[in-house]
Amino acid sequence: MTDVARIEVSPEFAGMRLDAFMAAEGLYPTRSAAAKCIADGCAALNGKIARKSATVAEGDVLEYETFEDPHAPALEAVEIPLDVRYEDDYLLVISKQAGLVCHPADGHYGDTLVNALIAHCGRENLCDVQGEQDRLGIVHRLDKDTSGLMLCAKTNEVGLALMEDIRTRDVDRHYLALVQGWIPLETGLVDAPIARGDRDRLRMKVSDRDNARPSITTFEVKRRFEPGRNDDGYTLIDCKLYTGRTHQIRVHMEYIKHPCVGDPVYGWQKKDNLGLDRQFLHSYKLAFTHPVTGERLEFEDTLPDDLQCVIDELDARE
C-alpha cells in the first residue's frame, strides 16, 4: 500500500521545478520518476493537485505518494557490528565504519546501516521521517567510505528536531581530511553551490545552475607534510560543515585544487595516495543539544586504523 507523506519547501529550493525538487530531496530516485508521480495526480502542492510545470516556493507544502520500488526487497534485520558511542530512548550516536552504506540503494539492500539499526533497536523503535521503506533511523548521512560519528533517531519527534537543528546549523559537525598539496593559509572558507553532474548523475560538482544548492565549508589547517616547490605534499585539515550536501567536502576540496587523498571519484589518481583506496575523510567531532533533555552533548572520535597508519607513515618519512 502506498503511503502519503508531507514536506515543507525550505528556502534553498525556492524557484525549482517540482519534479527537480522531489528528486533533489530524495523523495523519488530520479526526476523522471517524480514527473510521473506528478503526471499521475499523486502530488499536491498547498492542497491542490500539482501540474507538471509547477515550481516551488519557500514554505510551500507538498503532499505526495511515497515511492515504492517494486524490485526492492523488504528491509530485514541484519547483525552488522555497530560502534555505539551513546544511546538512550530517543537517539543514538555511532561511529560508522568505512564501507558501510547508510541506507538501501542499487546493489545494497541487506548490508546497510538501516539493516544494522533494525537489528539493534527493532523496526518499531526507529524514526521514519526520511522514509519508512528504506531510511529507518536516518536523519543525516555519511558517504559509504567516509567513517566517523553520526546521529540516528528512534522517534519521529526527535528525528524531525535533529533534522531541523542540522538545517539551522545547531549541530556542530567537524571532519578530518588529508588533502593533496600544501595549503599555505591557516584557515579558509569555500562558499560554492553544488549540483548533480550532467553526464554522471552519481558525481556532484560546483555549479552556477539555478538548481545548484548553497554549500558552505570552512577549514582550519592542523598539520602539513612534505612541502615541495610545486605545491606538493599533504595538508591535514579540520573541515566544518555549514550545509550538508552530497559529497560536499570532497567536491569543495576538489574545487580548490586540494582533493582528499585516496578519493576514487574526485581525487588525483596519478598522485601518491599513500596506499589508500578510499578518501581520507573522517567525521571526528559532533556536538548537539539533546531535543528532549536539553543537554549539550559532545563527542570526539579517533582516526580508524587505516587513516592513522597514513599519518604514522608521513611522520616516519619526515
Side-chain angles (χ1 to χ4, degrees):
M1 179 178 178
T2 302
D3 293 322
V4 176
R6 181 177 183 274
I7 188 172
E8 183 174 323
V9 179
S10 52
E12 63 263 32
F13 294 108
M16 186 179 290
R17 273 183 58 117
L18 178 57
D19 54 358
F21 164 72
M22 294 173 72
E25 272 286 59
L27 311 181
Y28 272 67
T30 64
R31 186 168 177 173
S32 60
K36 185 178 185 305
C37 166
I38 300 167
D40 291 343
C42 298
L45 203 57
N46 300 321
K48 296 181 179 180
I49 298 299
R51 297 182 178 181
K52 290 173 64 176
S53 59
T55 57
V56 296
E58 178 183 354
D60 280 354
V61 175
L62 170 67
E63 293 174 295
Y64 63 97
E65 288 191 0
T66 56
F67 178 78
E68 292 185 1
D69 183 350
H71 305 294
L75 280 176
E76 300 290 344
V78 180
E79 294 290 344
I80 299 171
L82 284 179
D83 185 356
V84 178
R85 302 300 177 87
Y86 175 87
E87 182 175 7
D88 60 22
D89 292 338
Y90 308 102
L91 57 85
L92 303 90
V93 176
I94 67 165
S95 178
K96 187 186 83 67
Q97 59 267 43
L100 182 63
V101 176
C102 282
H103 55 73
D106 288 343
H108 295 278
Y109 287 105
D111 58 352
T112 73
L113 173 59
V114 170
N115 299 104
L117 288 172
I118 293 173
H120 182 80
C121 301
R123 184 188 304 270
E124 69 282 2
N125 296 315
L126 292 168
C127 78
D128 60 9
V129 293
Q130 290 210 20
E132 65 177 340
Q133 301 300 324
D134 62 351
R135 302 191 184 189
L136 296 178
I138 301 298
V139 294
H140 71 116
R141 294 176 287 280
L142 294 179
D143 297 340
K144 172 188 173 184
D145 288 324
T146 297
S147 52
L149 297 171
M150 183 176 170
L151 276 165
C152 304
K154 293 185 176 182
T155 71
N156 283 354
E157 293 77 13
V158 167
L160 289 170
L162 290 174
M163 289 174 63
E164 177 64 12
D165 286 347
I166 290 171
R167 187 186 70 81
T168 58
R169 304 172 186 173
D170 290 330
V171 176
D172 198 20
R173 295 175 290 167
H174 288 258
Y175 294 71
L176 281 176
L178 185 71
V179 300
Q180 298 279 3
W182 178 270
I183 298 180
L185 301 174
E186 296 301 320
T187 61
L189 180 149
V190 185
D191 183 353
I194 291 175
R196 199 167 290 278
D198 297 317
R199 296 180 180 178
D200 183 353
R201 301 295 290 172
L202 297 179
R203 182 185 174 96
M204 311 300 290
K205 66 175 185 177
V206 168
S207 172
D208 59 1
R209 294 196 320 231
D210 290 343
N211 66 339
R213 303 176 68 181
S215 307
I216 300 173
T217 306
T218 63
F219 65 85
E220 176 185 352
V221 170
K222 307 297 284 185
R223 294 186 64 184
R224 298 181 179 89
F225 302 92
E226 300 185 342
R229 293 182 178 179
N230 300 309
D231 195 25
D232 296 330
Y234 307 91
T235 306
L236 182 67
I237 57 176
D238 173 325
C239 294
K240 180 176 179 178
L241 286 179
Y242 285 87
T243 52
R245 310 308 177 209
T246 300
H247 301 173
Q248 178 173 318
I249 293 174
R250 299 164 63 191
V251 173
H252 276 174
M253 291 304 106
E254 179 201 34
Y255 179 65
I256 65 170
K257 312 302 183 191
H258 292 286
C260 292
V261 171
D263 193 323
V265 177
Y266 304 100
W268 292 339
Q269 304 310 316
K270 294 183 179 180
K271 288 281 189 177
D272 183 1
N273 283 304
L274 305 171
L276 284 178
D277 56 5
R278 61 116 165 176
Q279 60 270 13
F280 192 120
L281 188 60
H282 182 68
S283 172
Y284 87 104
K285 191 181 292 186
L286 179 67
F288 63 97
T289 300
H290 196 293
V292 177
T293 67
E295 181 182 3
R296 187 69 179 174
L297 299 175
E298 299 183 4
F299 301 89
E300 193 160 333
D301 194 17
T302 57
L303 287 173
D305 290 345
D306 63 333
L307 303 187
Q308 185 58 55
C309 283
V310 168
I311 298 300
D312 291 344
E313 178 186 340
L314 288 173
D315 277 334
R317 280 162 44 166
E318 288 193 335

